[in-house]
Amino acid sequence: MFSSRLMLIVTFFVVVVLFLIIFVLLRKSWPILSTKSLGELLSWSWLPSQGKFGFSPFILGTLAVTAVAMIIAIPLSILTAIYIAEYAPRKLRAIVKPFIDLLAGIPSIVFGLFGVLVVVPLVSGYLAPLFGTTSTGYCVLSAGIVLALMVFPIMISICVELFEAVPGGVREASLALGATRWQMVKHVVVRSSFPGIIAAIILGFGRAFGETLAVMMVVGNSPVTPSLFGPAYPLTALIANNYGEMMSVPMYESALMLAAFILLVVSVISIIAARLILRRVERRWAVG
Amino acid sequence: MDRRKAEETFFKWLTAICTIIVVGSALAIVVTVIIKGAPALSLSMITQTPSGGYYTGTAGGGILNAIVGSLYLAFGATALAIAISLPVALFLQRDYAMKSGFTGFVRFVLDILWGVPSIVLGMFMLTIMFFLGMRASLGAGIIVLALLELPIMIRAMDAAIRSVPDKMKEASYALGATRLETSLKVVVRQALPGLLVAILLAFGRAIGDGASIMLTSGYSDRIPTSLGDPVASLPLAIFYLSGLPYSGAKEKAYAAAFILLVIVLLVSMISRYILKKFSKYVVK
């Protein structure tokens, strides 16, 4: 009896942690939320010493970097998953799948270092001239590429699982009607897995959105309007670069806590959405 | 007819090319770290702490502080996380929690916790540290990394334990064993390979995370002697040193990346080995 009560208490503690995180961050960002208007918080001027905390450059920075990452990662991940699940010979699949798992295990800081050593020179030396501009390489595109690399394993492994779960009978029905393999993939496999693909995209988005160090290393960290070959300053970088002096200026602490709270809210919402969708998907084939 | 065939060929090749890009970039990452990191490795690099000041003396000595620091942090966090995760994972089974609504809710909360960015966990821990009057230290780093590991470890342990057949538990109960005895002597033993893999998975995640400990454990050239000392770590060594304009510092960053990658790959290989080797002792 004692042991099970102890287990209950520990379980309770773990659940409470999440709510404690939400409460503490909201409580800490309350001073700035209650004294500044929404217009001030969404302005463009970030001058902590003058009490100006406009979050727009940082929110847009995060959005720009994440958007570029998703634009790269979504088509590549889905097509790769299709190849692994539908086209790849069995032997090749046995090699590629562990490789994707390996990619998932690489720490994000290593992706950042790879970004500095390879992606940044690639963007400044080749991609920017290709588009007729110049760039230092420390830009939104580089950060997007690095994030896309980090998102690949998440999206690919979920999509492969989804595609492999499509029952053989449904596939055969399509092939029996004279569909080519690709038509079967397009009309049966991808369409029936569509909600799950959305969930995979949301989970990938959540990972990219909250990434800190790898992005900071390649994004330039300059609070300007983000452009593809120009620098940006995401919310995560804002926290990591300034947490050291946040106690020195009034309201600064609260402003950084608000940045963390925004990240928290977006990640919580995206996880809830993805889980709800995936739960539905699981039921789908269980019935049929 | 021809168009359908062309479409088929086109997409077959397109998906193959995408796979090559993804696998190729994974290879490129590993190869880059090896090319840059392997030459930077030397005996003094892995057996000495940095000599001289943080910025000026970055050329001398090695990165022993970061290696040992990362191991302290990751082992400490993993030990703490095991102590919390195992009871929770056992409790999530039907033997204990009768109401499935509650266990479903706990699993849902864990999924959400899994997705919380590590920098947010760092900010949360920083607030708690201000509240308690702690400073950036090994102890705080261990706590925040344990927090990061919890959802990963519990969900993986939960899946491993759930695969234990009901018949086995019933046999144990029929012999008059209590729930605790059944859990510890039958369930845990049967699920042991899965539990070990869960622990390794969480360990690998913790040793590679930098954002959370950046805010909570500080950085130091010395090896900590107590939980209250600030501590260096491999991810932060890579982050700080690769950004410095001295070649000596960059060398250290590359060496740190190499060592971190080796540790992570080793952990992942060990878990593969465990799954393969030990699953034969599991009663099917």
Side-chain angles (χ1 to χ4, degrees), chain B residues 16 55 108 208:
Chain B
Y55 283 105
F108 197 58

Side-chain angles (χ1 to χ4, degrees), chain B residues 45-83:
Chain B
M45 186 65 92
I46 55 173
T47 56
Q48 288 177 19
T49 57
S51 52
Y54 172 46
Y55 283 105
T56 51
T58 40
I63 50 166
L64 185 68
N65 57 332
I67 300 171
V68 175
S70 257
L71 292 176
Y72 278 176
L73 283 165
F75 275 109
T78 306
L80 186 58
I82 292 172

Side-chain angles (χ1 to χ4, degrees), chain A residues 10-283:
Chain A
V10 178
T11 309
F12 239 86
F13 162 79
V14 172
V15 173
V16 165
V17 164
L18 176 69
F19 293 97
L20 196 64
I21 293 174
I22 297 171
F23 172 77
V24 164
L25 292 185
L26 182 61
R27 175 81 193 71
K28 280 284 177 180
S29 44
W30 195 247
I32 196 163
L33 277 173
S34 58
T35 52
K36 305 266 181 206
S37 69
L38 197 63
E40 282 175 284
L41 290 176
L42 289 178
S43 79
W44 279 87
S45 54
W46 179 268
L47 298 160
S49 53
Q50 296 174 27
K52 286 183 181 166
F53 297 100
F55 279 94
S56 276
F58 310 104
I59 293 173
L60 278 183
T62 292
L63 288 180
V65 166
T66 316
V68 171
M70 298 317 283
I71 290 170
I72 299 170
I74 292 171
L76 272 167
S77 302
I78 294 176
L79 289 169
T80 301
I82 290 175
Y83 185 78
I84 294 173
E86 305 294 330
Y87 286 109
R90 188 165 295 181
K91 273 186 188 164
L92 190 65
R93 192 188 312 184
I95 303 171
V96 173
K97 264 183 144 182
F99 222 84
I100 306 280
D101 290 345
L102 182 148
L103 193 61
I106 295 177
S108 65
I109 191 82
V110 174
F111 285 92
L113 189 66
F114 176 74
V116 172
L117 291 173
V118 177
V119 179
V120 166
L122 190 76
V123 169
S124 68
Y126 297 96
L127 287 177
L130 201 68
F131 285 86
T133 58
T134 54
S135 169
T136 55
Y138 292 91
C139 62
V140 172
L141 181 62
S142 301
I145 293 173
V146 169
L147 282 177
L149 292 174
M150 295 175 55
V151 168
F152 280 151
I154 303 174
M155 285 176 44
I156 292 173
S157 55
I158 298 176
C159 285
V160 168
E161 250 174 63
L162 288 169
F163 296 160
E164 284 178 346
V166 177
V170 190
R171 294 158 185 275
E172 281 157 16
S174 165
L175 292 173
L177 287 172
T180 62
R181 189 148 203 159
W182 172 253
Q183 284 176 321
M184 184 270 286
V185 168
K186 186 169 60 172
H187 294 299
V188 176
V189 177
V190 173
R191 183 165 297 179
S192 66
S193 321
F194 191 72
I197 294 175
I198 298 292
I201 291 171
I202 297 173
L203 288 176
F205 166 85
R207 174 87 199 267
F209 190 83
E211 178 49 40
T212 308
L213 297 183
V215 173
M216 273 174 82
M217 288 168 87
V218 295
V219 81
N221 300 326
S222 168
V224 296
T225 315
S227 63
L228 199 54
F229 289 105
Y233 205 153
L235 282 167
T236 48
L238 174 73
I239 299 174
N241 274 331
N242 298 297
Y243 73 96
E245 61 251 31
M246 72 181 189
M247 301 310 266
S248 55
V249 181
M251 285 296 213
Y252 207 170
E253 185 196 6
S254 189
L256 293 186
M257 289 293 174
L258 180 59
F261 186 66
I262 295 170
L263 290 169
L264 177 69
V265 168
V266 174
S267 66
V268 168
I269 290 174
S270 58
I271 295 283
I272 291 177
R275 285 295 145 194
L276 290 180
I277 296 172
L278 280 178
R279 195 171 288 182
R280 274 216 173 141
V281 175
E282 273 167 27
R283 282 193 199 132

Side-chain angles (χ1 to χ4, degrees), chain B residues 2-282:
Chain B
D2 242 359
R3 236 203 62 204
R4 294 197 335 153
K5 189 133 196 227
E7 195 191 13
E8 172 76 24
T9 322
F10 173 75
F11 277 104
K12 188 173 179 182
W13 280 101
L14 185 66
T15 55
I17 290 166
C18 288
T19 310
I20 291 170
I21 293 174
V22 171
V23 174
S25 50
L27 265 180
I29 293 171
V30 175
V31 169
T32 306
V33 172
I34 292 173
I35 288 176
K36 288 282 184 181
L41 279 183
S42 62
L43 196 63
S44 61
M45 186 65 92
I46 55 173
T47 56
Q48 288 177 19
T49 57
S51 52
Y54 172 46
Y55 283 105
T56 51
T58 40
I63 50 166
L64 185 68
N65 57 332
I67 300 171
V68 175
S70 257
L71 292 176
Y72 278 176
L73 283 165
F75 275 109
T78 306
L80 186 58
I82 292 172
I84 299 173
S85 299
L86 196 57
V88 176
L90 287 172
F91 189 76
L92 285 177
Q93 311 311 312
R94 270 187 305 157
D95 315 45
Y96 290 92
M98 292 304 180
K99 291 198 184 95
S100 67
F102 179 65
T103 53
F105 176 69
V106 173
R107 291 192 178 109
F108 197 58
V109 166
L110 288 170
D111 282 342
I112 296 174
L113 208 52
W114 194 327
V116 173
S118 73
I119 186 119
V120 174
L121 293 179
M123 273 309 249
F124 167 71
M125 189 62 206
L126 196 59
T127 312
I128 302 288
M129 284 158 62
F130 284 144
F131 185 71
L132 298 174
M134 281 167 83
R135 59 194 193 103
S137 61
L138 175 62
I142 285 177
I143 294 173
V144 78
L145 285 181
L147 216 54
L148 183 92
E149 284 190 35
L150 273 181
I152 303 167
M153 203 187 271
I154 297 175
R155 288 297 260 136
M157 282 184 167
D158 178 29
I161 292 175
R162 229 188 312 178
S163 68
V164 175
D166 281 340
K167 287 230 165 82
M168 202 173 254
K169 291 193 236 173
E170 282 158 14
S172 167
Y173 289 135
L175 290 170
T178 63
R179 284 190 299 195
L180 186 66
E181 283 170 335
T182 308
S183 293
L184 294 183
K185 292 182 181 162
V186 177
V187 175
V188 168
R189 193 166 291 187
Q190 173 76 5
L192 198 58
L195 294 178
L196 288 176
V197 170
I199 291 167
L200 287 171
L201 187 71
F203 179 88
R205 230 349 257 289
I207 204 164
D209 194 78
S212 59
I213 47 173
M214 181 184 197
L215 273 58
T216 53
S217 69
Y219 199 85
S220 164
D221 279 354
R222 267 171 301 176
I223 292 168
T225 50
S226 78
L227 286 174
D229 289 344
V231 59
S233 53
L234 288 168
L236 293 180
I238 300 169
F239 182 73
Y240 291 133
L241 297 176
S242 70
L244 295 178
Y246 314 108
S247 64
K250 285 196 199 302
E251 292 272 292
K252 283 185 186 168
Y254 302 152
F258 184 83
I259 293 167
L260 184 58
L261 194 65
V262 167
I263 293 175
V264 170
L265 294 185
L266 217 63
V267 166
S268 130
M269 267 152 64
I270 293 172
S271 39
R272 265 171 198 288
Y273 178 78
I274 289 175
L275 272 187
K276 221 172 165 184
K277 189 88 184 169
F278 287 84
S279 51
K280 72 176 174 202
Y281 300 116
V282 170

